[in-house]
Amino acid sequence: MYHQLCHTNSKQPSNDIALISRQPQSKQQQLQFTDHSGYTYSTDALILGTNDTRLAEVHLLLVCVKAYQVATALLPLLSKLSPQCHIVLLHNGLGPHLVVSEALAQYPNQGLTLGTTSQAALKNSQWHIKHTGFGVTQLGYYYGSELSAKLKERIDELHCGNQAVEWHQPVLTILWQKLAINAVINPLTALHHCANGQLANDEYQHQIAAIIEELVHVAKWDGIVLDRALLSARVYQVIKLTAANYSSMYQDVAHHRATEINFINGYICQQAQLHRLAVPHNQHLLEQVLQLSLS
């Protein structure tokens, strides 16, 4: 997304785009980005440190970290950003939006948009990203001050060719739909050590149906109405389209990293507990992946 904002629209200056580091000091850093055709771009990027006073000039912040990193990365920055800053969360699962919106109550002129993207990228090295798959980025306003027309136009610059940007209101319905895809593919591929395509086999049908059934029921109690048949069809479509891919949770488990299970099947379990509902299949997946992460 950084590359797209810097290079796809010649009408806009690229020197108003920066990355934010977890380090206190700012620096310049050369980034490499290899596009889908194999062409590699080099960009000298400004990486703002957490102590840089220029954070106060940030009016739009795209938060592209893992779900379990959102609060740690973002909350300490809120007071340092522009009082009118609009924040966009882009991560798997649900849950951080509740923590962030609660924190934003102290900053009434800041706002929150939620989103999800099916674009794919591979981290070749710390400063080299390769684009590996086209996808749709779906976004919608959620809390606080609404996104200005000027900032919305800037985000729309991410729309090009096979990389669409869609706006949805209310956005939570879209995020629950994406949650269903992640709740099926991520834990099952991690637990069965397989590529996404294997989940199309008959042996997984009953389990996939049960995961979706529980999710649809919990979503209804959360005020989100989902079509079970359409949702199931979409899950199997993604399994087919990404058949050769290994899910992010599979990769996290394989590399002994933390997973986002608490924000995927764990979020379903959390909301189920809130509404006093039983979700044994999602609960079992949550416990299995957590156990796998410890091993």
Side-chain angles (χ1 to χ4, degrees):
M1 288 184 170
Y2 174 87
H3 167 79
Q4 287 175 268
L5 289 170
C6 284
H7 295 283
T8 57
N9 192 338
S10 59
K11 296 178 183 178
Q12 293 283 1
S14 61
N15 61 359
D16 67 342
I17 304 167
L19 299 167
I20 299 177
S21 168
R22 70 186 72 194
Q23 304 302 324
Q25 303 304 318
S26 298
K27 67 175 182 176
Q28 293 286 137
Q29 174 66 49
Q30 186 179 76
L31 307 181
Q32 288 188 301
F33 177 83
T34 302
D35 67 18
H36 209 265
S37 65
Y39 184 83
T40 298
Y41 299 78
S42 291
T43 306
D44 288 322
L46 169 62
I47 303 183
L48 292 174
T50 54
N51 289 339
D52 198 311
T53 56
R54 286 173 289 182
L55 289 171
E57 301 169 23
V58 176
H59 286 83
L60 176 66
L61 179 60
L62 306 182
V63 183
C64 303
V65 298
K66 294 279 191 177
Y68 55 80
Q69 296 171 320
V70 170
T72 304
L74 177 60
L75 298 190
L77 294 178
L78 291 179
S79 63
K80 301 178 181 182
L81 302 171
S82 162
Q84 288 78 38
C85 184
H86 198 91
I87 294 153
V88 180
L89 297 186
L90 287 162
H91 56 74
N92 282 333
L94 283 166
H97 66 296
L98 301 174
V99 176
V100 175
S101 56
E102 183 179 348
L104 284 178
Q106 302 175 56
Y107 307 96
N109 293 322
Q110 293 185 355
L112 179 63
T113 285
L114 307 180
T116 180
T117 185
S118 55
Q119 285 203 63
L122 177 67
K123 185 178 178 181
N124 284 343
S125 64
Q126 184 176 9
W127 305 112
H128 185 187
I129 299 296
K130 181 181 179 182
H131 188 203
T132 56
F134 294 114
V136 177
T137 300
Q138 298 169 299
L139 300 155
Y141 162 78
Y142 179 70
Y143 181 84
S145 182
E146 293 203 33
L147 187 67
S148 70
K150 184 178 179 181
L151 292 180
K152 183 174 182 291
E153 185 178 312
R154 203 68 198 271
I155 294 173
D156 281 334
E157 291 170 27
L158 294 170
H159 183 123
C160 61
N162 296 319
Q163 301 162 91
V165 173
E166 298 176 354
W167 294 90
H168 298 269
Q169 215 62 46
V171 69
L172 281 179
T173 301
I174 295 297
L175 297 184
W176 272 92
Q177 291 171 1
K178 179 68 181 293
L179 185 68
I181 294 166
N182 286 328
V184 168
I185 294 176
N186 276 282
L188 292 181
T189 55
L191 291 167
H192 295 282
H193 312 289
C194 67
N196 296 357
Q198 185 173 316
L199 302 183
N201 295 350
D202 291 345
E203 63 190 283
Y204 300 102
Q205 279 189 6
H206 174 74
Q207 195 171 13
I208 290 173
I211 295 166
I212 295 171
E213 176 73 29
E214 291 177 358
L215 178 143
V216 169
H217 190 49
V218 173
K220 184 178 178 181
W221 279 81
D222 250 20
I224 307 294
V225 178
L226 301 170
D227 185 306
R228 187 180 294 99
L230 288 177
L231 200 57
S232 180
R234 177 60 180 153
V235 168
Y236 278 102
Q237 180 188 32
V238 173
I239 288 171
K240 181 179 179 181
L241 289 172
T242 63
N245 293 8
Y246 290 90
S247 75
S248 58
M249 195 170 291
Y250 171 100
Q251 300 279 4
D252 287 337
V253 168
H255 291 93
H256 307 289
R257 298 189 296 248
T259 74
E260 294 178 293
I261 192 69
N262 285 318
F263 302 92
I264 300 176
N265 304 82
Y267 184 75
I268 299 167
C269 296
Q270 172 190 306
Q271 296 308 102
Q273 187 175 19
L274 186 66
H275 301 301
R276 298 183 180 180
L277 304 171
V279 285
H281 289 88
N282 281 280
Q283 185 68 42
H284 185 57
L285 289 174
L286 170 64
E287 292 167 1
Q288 281 188 303
V289 173
L290 288 175
Q291 187 61 40
L292 199 60
S293 301
L294 295 173
S295 60

